[in-house]
């Protein structure tokens, strides 16, 4: 196997520049939706819109997938969203599934854990996969949709230079190898990453906290018999006073994170002659490996005050940034587009009032704050900020070796869980006495087996009335909004996840598979009111 | 809801106090700090009641309860 001498996937243009007719048009061409950025979030947003029939153009200043790997760990909710977008299966097939982890402190292994994922789900709890594969699958999906006639386009080497909100549309100026051209968007989705030029062009703030620390992130190719487990070290002999992480990806690639501290020379530390001895100390002198990619990061937790600015809507890292402990960046960005695309479509076609888009702000800011909170706490545990926080941290680790009680306190990253939109203006108050809390209004639907198939692939993309042991019309239409019924049997999994103590239930499920409302039985008036509320008409 | 006990509650208080001191005997400051930290965590887990733990933190900070 000699994959290192071949061109790496992130070195080959995936959406090469082609001249667009827009560049020769006499007047600026106006598109329904323009997305800035062909990262995972921009591509996800574009596919979601195009699947609903919305014409969309993606502009990216690059023409390749993400350089190096970056995100490696994807949570079940992301896989479910990607499945709705048409590439969840590829992810699972290629990805590494894992449930086991080990925690080391100093020279000892202090404990092991098994995530013990709940059974009865189509998708695994987590997979590890290089970010460039995710982007590759998304681009493949775009090509497949184009072949089927969908109006979705990716324009490589199209750098956005100027953005101006004109009230009922947005003017853009784009630079290409053939020079600049103007273009217009009815709606602009800015997915241009943590450094978001769109944000700067609009003079918008991005405030939060910088963690005064540096991490060396390396992907190495090695044939070693480390098991498929997540290994995390606190204060190991090979990286004194700091932390380290080892995690497996497909193709014999391993992700290594080494904390380096604050006062370092980044350019020096990145040089192979400095990186390789560090990795040898960690992996053992005899282990043969090759460096695929190395980078040094300082992490931050911050977000925009508002994600929606009239016709310009921010999503992904452009809107919020977290430290990677807990794998929340791409995972939360995909929840952004999941939340946004159906709302934008309903607003565009006039079915829902424009104010529906403000619920994107309310719900996803709630999500971003949850992620920032979790990832700040992990960072504080991993890199204690004071003498006493280090003493307490070490006490937790020492105790965890001997007593089970201390293990939940060990925080090497709380893995991303989907956000429940408690308190969202789109929710109708819970009206299912005895219903399980995990499916209360605002929750993402939990998957469950339906015989040979699964529940989630049958939900989403439209409003659904999920009925369990309750009568309801097969379909209904409220002011042009179509709702289909899905009747399922009360199997033990459905009972546990959707009925609880109740005998029967009717759930109104949003296009993003979140619960809008629930009742014990069907009532036309109540469903209509809940539907109106769920599309921002109240 | 249970509340934090702030009235005398340890039978043989002098014995307990002596045992606490004995546990620290001969330790360096760093070792004693570590022992105290472990002890706090063990006791906190035993209590387990979030409200009581918050009250205990307030009490340890010598914050007078709001009487208004
Ligand atoms: C070391 C590391 C590990 C990580 N691990 C995980 C993990 O395990 N799980 C997880 O979920 N997340 C993880 N993340 C976070 C994840 O990589 C990001 O959250 C994710 O890439 C964000 O996607 P995005 O599409 O919002 O932005 P990006 O991927 O940054 O994409 C932005 C795009 O916009 C383009 N662009 C920028 N400016 C312009 C312009 N002016 N005109 C046109 N195009 C422009 C860029 O070329 C780029 O393609 C990790 C990140 C790092 C750094």
């Amino acid at each position: 196997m000699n994959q290192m001498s071949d061109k790496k996937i992130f070195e080959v243009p995936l959406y090469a520049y082609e001249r667009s007719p827009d560049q020769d048009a006499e007047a600026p061409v106006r598109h329904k939706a323009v997305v800035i950025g062909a990262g995972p979030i921009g591509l996800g947003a574009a596919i979601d819109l195009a699947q609903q029939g919305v014409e969309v153009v993606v502009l990216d200043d690059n023409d390749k997938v993400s350089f190096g790997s970056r995100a490696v760990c994807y949570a079940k909710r992301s896989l479910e969203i990607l499945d709705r977008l048409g590439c969840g299966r590829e992810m699972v097939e290629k990805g590494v599934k894992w449930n086991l982890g080990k925690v080391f402190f100093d020279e000892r292994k202090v404990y092991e854990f098994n995530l013990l994922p709940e059974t009865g789900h189509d998708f695994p709890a987590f997979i590890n996969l290089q970010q460039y594969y995710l982007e590759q699958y998304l681009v493949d999906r775009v090509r497949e949709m184009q072949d089927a006639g969908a109006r979705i386009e990716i324009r490589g080497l199209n750098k956005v230079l100027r953005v101006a909100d004109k009230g009922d549309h947005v003017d853009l100026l784009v630079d290409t190898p053939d020079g600049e051209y103007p273009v217009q968007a009815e709606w602009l989705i800015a997915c241009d990453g943590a450094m978001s030029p769109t944000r700067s062009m609009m003079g918008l703030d991005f405030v939060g906290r910088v963690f005064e620390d540096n991490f060396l992130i390396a992907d190495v190719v090695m044939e070693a018999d480390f098991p498929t487990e997540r290994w995390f070290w606190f204060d190991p002999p090979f990286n004194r006073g700091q932390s380290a992480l080892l995690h497996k990806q497909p193709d014999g690639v391993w992700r290594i994170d080494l904390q380096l501290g604050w006062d370092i020379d980044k350019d020096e530390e990145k040089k192979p002659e400095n990186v390789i001895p560090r990795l040898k100390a960690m992996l053992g002198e005899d282990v043969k490996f090759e460096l695929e990619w190395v980078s040094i990061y300082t992490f931050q937790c911050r977000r925009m005050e508002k994600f929606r600015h009239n016709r310009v809507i921010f999503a992904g890292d452009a809107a919020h940034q977290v430290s990677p402990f807990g794998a929340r960046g791409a995972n939360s960005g995909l929840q952004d587009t999941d939340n946004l695309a159906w709302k934008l479509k309903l607003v565009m076609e006039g079915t829902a009032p424009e104010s529906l888009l403000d619920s994107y702000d309310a719900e996803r800011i709630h999500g971003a704050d949850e992620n920032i909170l979790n990832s700040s706490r992990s960072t504080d545990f991993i890199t204690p900020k004071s003498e006493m926080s280090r003493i307490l941290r070490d006490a937790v680790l020492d105790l965890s070796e001997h007593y089970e009680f201390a293990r939940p306190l060990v925080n090497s990253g709380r893995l991303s869980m989907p956000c429940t939109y408690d308190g969202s203006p789109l929710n109708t108050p819970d009206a299912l006495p005895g219903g399980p809390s995990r499916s209360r209004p605002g929750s993402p639907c939990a998957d469950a087996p339906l015989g040979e198939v699964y529940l989630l692939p049958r939900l989403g993309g439209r409003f659904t009335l999920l009925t369990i042991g309750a009568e309801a019309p097969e379909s209904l239409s409220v002011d042009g909004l179509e709702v289909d019924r899905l009747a399922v049997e009360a199997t033990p999994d459905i009972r546990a996840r959707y009925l609880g103590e109740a005998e029967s239930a009717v759930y109104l499920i949003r296009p993003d598979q979140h619960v809008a409302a629930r009742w014990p039985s069907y009532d036309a008036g109540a469903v209509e009111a809940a539907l109106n509320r769920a599309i921002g008409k109240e | 809801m249970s509340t934090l006990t702030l009235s005398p509650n340890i039978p043989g208080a002098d014995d307990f106090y002596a045992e606490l001191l004995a546990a620290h005997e001969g330790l360096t400051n760093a070792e004693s700090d570590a022992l105290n930290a472990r002890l706090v965590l063990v006791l906190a887990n035993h209590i387990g009641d979030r409200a009581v733990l918050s009250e205990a933190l307030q009490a340890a900070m010598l914050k007078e309860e709001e009487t208004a």
Side-chain angles (χ1 to χ4, degrees):
Chain A
M1 197 172 71
N2 194 355
Q3 73 203 120
M4 296 310 292
S5 58
D6 297 335
K7 271 230 178 233
K8 291 167 196 151
I9 172 174
F10 49 86
E11 291 169 346
V12 189
L14 196 64
Y15 35 91
Y17 170 72
E18 277 175 53
R19 195 177 172 87
S20 148
D22 286 10
Q23 291 165 259
D24 302 309
E26 276 175 23
V29 174
R30 186 179 297 190
H31 296 279
K32 278 277 170 202
V34 169
V35 174
I36 309 182
I41 311 313
L43 290 170
I47 292 170
D48 210 343
L49 288 171
Q51 277 191 172
Q52 302 179 64
V54 175
E55 183 256 342
V56 57
V57 174
V58 182
L59 305 173
D60 197 286
D61 61 354
N62 206 327
D63 56 1
K64 303 177 189 66
V65 291
S66 162
F67 182 75
S69 172
R70 298 170 73 196
V72 294
C73 191
Y74 301 93
K76 173 162 50 207
R77 182 65 198 143
S78 297
L79 299 171
E80 291 166 353
I81 293 169
L82 289 165
D83 188 44
R84 196 170 60 66
L85 301 182
C87 45
R89 312 279 154 187
E90 289 85 341
M91 297 282 291
V92 176
E93 237 160 72
K94 181 76 191 176
V96 170
K97 287 161 240 28
W98 62 276
N99 289 314
L100 297 174
K102 289 195 178 117
V103 177
F104 301 86
F105 179 38
D106 197 349
E107 297 188 3
R108 301 117 54 208
K109 182 183 84 184
V110 287
Y111 73 98
E112 305 184 6
F113 62 86
N114 186 335
L115 295 174
L116 286 178
E118 186 178 65
T119 58
H121 290 254
D122 199 356
F123 286 95
F126 289 97
I127 63 160
N128 286 1
L129 184 69
Q130 293 88 325
Q131 179 164 333
Y132 47 73
Y133 280 120
L134 165 60
E135 294 182 24
Q136 162 102 60
Y137 297 148
L138 289 164
V139 172
D140 290 349
R141 174 67 183 141
V142 169
R143 300 297 177 224
E144 182 185 280
M145 292 174 74
Q146 286 171 331
D147 291 343
R151 290 191 301 158
I152 178 169
E153 211 188 308
I154 312 179
R155 297 185 187 166
L157 302 185
N158 270 241
K159 184 185 171 89
V160 176
L161 298 178
R162 247 193 346 247
V163 165
D165 187 347
K166 295 289 175 189
D168 65 341
H169 74 275
V170 182
D171 278 339
L172 292 105
L173 183 67
V174 182
D175 194 23
T176 73
D178 289 333
E180 297 174 4
Y181 73 98
V183 69
Q184 296 183 342
E186 276 184 24
W187 294 92
L188 179 67
I189 309 180
C191 306
D192 47 355
M195 307 295 289
S196 178
T198 310
R199 217 176 43 218
S200 322
M201 288 183 247
M202 294 179 64
L204 298 168
D205 278 348
F206 200 42
V207 288
R209 184 171 161 202
V210 180
F211 292 95
E212 294 199 347
D213 213 324
N214 290 289
F215 286 80
L216 175 85
I217 315 281
D219 279 348
V220 304
V221 185
M222 64 175 170
E223 282 163 49
D225 47 8
F226 294 108
T228 306
E229 298 174 349
R230 180 184 196 265
W231 288 9
F232 199 98
W233 288 263
F234 292 96
D235 194 13
F238 58 82
N239 199 25
R240 268 298 166 214
Q242 314 284 5
S243 66
L245 171 76
L246 179 70
H247 217 174
K248 189 177 188 178
Q249 304 173 63
D251 305 335
V253 176
W254 299 78
R255 165 59 55 86
I256 293 168
D257 292 10
L258 287 170
Q259 185 190 353
L260 297 180
W262 186 231
D263 285 318
I264 58 155
D265 180 338
K266 287 192 185 195
D267 291 326
E268 270 305 303
E269 290 290 349
K270 242 193 307 206
K271 288 184 181 157
E273 64 260 37
N274 291 321
V275 172
I276 287 169
R278 279 187 182 279
L279 297 182
K280 282 202 162 152
M282 173 174 180
L283 301 169
E285 279 299 322
D286 312 327
V287 175
K288 288 206 169 30
F289 62 86
E290 286 181 84
L291 280 179
E292 177 171 88
W293 168 75
V294 182
S295 193
I296 291 181
Y297 287 93
T298 300
F299 296 129
Q300 337 220 357
C301 281
R302 45 189 189 163
R303 71 159 167 86
M304 297 178 72
E305 204 177 308
K306 275 170 52 200
F307 299 169
R308 178 187 173 211
H309 293 265
N310 191 37
R311 295 246 159 188
V312 183
I313 302 169
F314 291 82
D317 279 10
H320 44 75
Q321 201 185 2
V322 291
S323 78
F325 302 110
R328 287 161 184 273
N331 284 309
S332 67
L334 285 167
Q335 291 177 51
D336 290 347
T337 64
D338 192 43
N339 189 287
L340 176 61
W342 67 270
K343 294 177 180 174
L344 192 52
K345 151 82 165 136
L346 291 181
V347 169
M348 279 178 170
E349 69 184 20
T351 309
E354 213 177 288
S355 60
L356 175 59
L357 295 173
D358 293 329
S359 73
Y360 167 72
D361 249 3
E363 294 183 337
R364 291 315 302 160
I365 283 176
H366 174 67
D369 285 346
E370 203 172 275
N371 285 316
I372 288 173
L373 179 72
N374 275 291
S375 122
S376 303
R377 286 176 172 175
S378 302
T379 311
D380 286 340
F381 192 88
I382 292 166
T383 68
K385 297 296 172 298
S386 67
E387 183 56 22
M388 189 43 71
S389 74
R390 178 176 295 277
I391 290 170
L392 284 166
R393 198 278 306 268
D394 290 353
V396 166
L397 289 168
D398 279 328
L399 288 166
S400 75
E401 185 178 5
H402 301 273
Y403 310 112
E404 212 182 317
F405 89 81
R407 294 175 191 167
L409 295 172
V410 175
N411 191 344
S412 67
R414 296 275 179 252
L415 294 164
S416 166
M417 299 298 281
C419 182
T420 296
Y421 302 132
D422 282 321
S424 163
L426 307 188
N427 295 348
T428 293
D430 196 353
L432 181 66
S437 159
R438 66 188 285 177
S439 300
R440 65 190 182 274
S443 317
C445 287
D447 205 0
L450 301 177
E452 297 293 295
V453 295
Y454 281 88
L455 174 63
L456 280 192
R458 306 193 54 194
L459 300 172
R462 65 196 191 301
F463 276 95
T464 307
L465 212 50
L466 175 71
T467 64
I468 308 153
E471 291 306 318
E474 281 314 304
S475 66
L476 51 130
S477 173
V478 178
D479 298 338
L481 193 62
E482 307 293 326
V483 182
D484 290 327
R485 174 192 183 192
L486 176 67
V488 303
E489 275 175 47
T491 61
D493 281 332
I494 292 283
R495 189 169 282 286
R497 292 167 201 181
Y498 291 93
L499 284 179
E501 316 276 284
E503 283 301 310
S504 64
V506 172
Y507 278 80
L508 179 65
I509 315 273
R510 307 181 347 182
D512 56 7
Q513 301 170 329
H514 279 254
V515 174
R518 62 178 185 177
W519 310 267
S521 59
Y522 177 75
D523 176 295
V527 171
E528 187 171 328
L531 195 58
N532 279 328
R533 196 177 169 88
I535 61 168
K537 278 194 181 169
E538 267 178 39
Chain B
M1 207 190 78
S2 49
T3 50
L4 180 70
T5 305
L6 286 171
S7 52
N9 194 35
I10 306 176
D14 288 348
D15 281 349
F16 161 71
Y17 196 73
E19 197 177 333
L20 181 61
L21 290 189
H24 283 278
E25 202 131 327
L27 300 187
T28 63
N29 278 349
E31 287 164 346
S32 269
D33 281 348
L35 175 64
N36 279 339
R38 291 196 298 271
L39 184 61
V40 165
L41 292 164
V42 167
L43 295 176
N45 183 66
H46 181 80
I47 292 166
D49 183 322
R50 277 295 286 106
V52 173
L53 291 172
S54 295
E55 278 183 63
L57 277 166
Q58 294 300 313
M61 287 190 270
L62 302 180
K63 289 214 175 128
E64 295 302 322
E65 258 176 66
E66 300 260 336
T67 41

